[in-house]
């Protein structure tokens, strides 16, 4: 019997190959599995969709959420052909994915031009020290929607 981690990781790698051959974007694939069932899969579509967020992991998370009818994916494993970038890792946390299994390391992806080290460093800096100019302009009116949501007894916390 084949190890399920190995089988699903090989599928993520196969998706990365399919996407790379198609020229849809970077060589990355991802699948999401719960209780041995493949819920969703995708490959990188950054170039094809002209969308910098069209990473394989993001696509798989979106599909899995649509399939399950929920914005959280408890009990799920994300299999990725390479270590997720900061955006995809953050999305996995937001989706409450329980486990991530990946094949290629960040260093291996960086060796072919996909280096996330600078972005990982940027995220740890105070917003005033980031390379993108960020300005805090507090407005009293901006607090109203926050208070409105907090006071709404019918809100759906996430």
């Amino acid at each position: 019997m084949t190890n399920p981690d190995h089988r699903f990781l090989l599928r993520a790698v196969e998706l990365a190959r399919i996407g790379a051959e198609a020229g849809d974007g970077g060589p990355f694939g991802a699948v999401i599995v719960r209780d041995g069932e493949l819920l969703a899969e995708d490959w990188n579509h950054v170039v094809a969709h002209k969308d910098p967020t069209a990473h394989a992991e993001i696509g798989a998370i979106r599909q899995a959420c649509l399939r399950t009818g929920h914005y959280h994916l408890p009990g799920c494993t994300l299999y990725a052909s390479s270590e997720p970038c900061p955006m995809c890792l953050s999305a996995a946390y937001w989706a409450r994915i329980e486990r991530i299994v990946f094949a290629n390391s960040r260093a291996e992806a960086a060796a072919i031009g996909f280096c996330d080290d600078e972005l990982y460093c940027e995220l740890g800096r105070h917003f005033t020290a980031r390379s993108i100019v960020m300005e805090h302009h507090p407005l009293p009116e901006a607090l109203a929607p926050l208070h409105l949501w907090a006071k709404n007894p019918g809100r759906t916390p996430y």
Side-chain angles (χ1 to χ4, degrees), residues 16-126:
R17 184 191 63 73
I18 291 168
E21 284 180 352
D24 287 344
F28 306 106
V31 300
I32 295 179
V33 175
R34 180 165 44 203
D35 298 326
E37 178 188 2
L38 193 145
L39 296 179
E41 60 181 30
D42 206 0
W43 61 77
N44 185 294
H45 289 94
V46 167
V47 174
H49 294 173
K50 296 171 183 49
D51 177 356
T53 68
H55 289 202
E57 298 90 337
I58 299 295
I61 289 169
R62 288 176 177 157
Q63 290 175 32
C65 288
L66 284 172
R67 182 166 180 193
T68 63
H70 205 274
Y71 46 83
H72 288 155
L73 299 169
C76 287
T77 298
L78 167 64
Y79 293 91
S81 61
S82 292
E83 186 174 354
C85 74
M87 175 183 68
C88 294
L89 181 58
S90 296
Y93 274 102
W94 283 120
R96 307 267 182 3
I97 287 175
E98 196 168 291
R99 184 171 170 248
I100 298 173
V101 178
F102 61 91
N104 298 313
S105 69
R106 283 171 43 192
E108 289 166 318
I112 64 158
F114 292 94
C115 187
D116 297 327
D117 291 344
E118 190 172 315
L119 184 50
Y120 274 102
C121 289
E122 277 283 304
L123 295 175
R125 294 184 179 121
H126 188 272

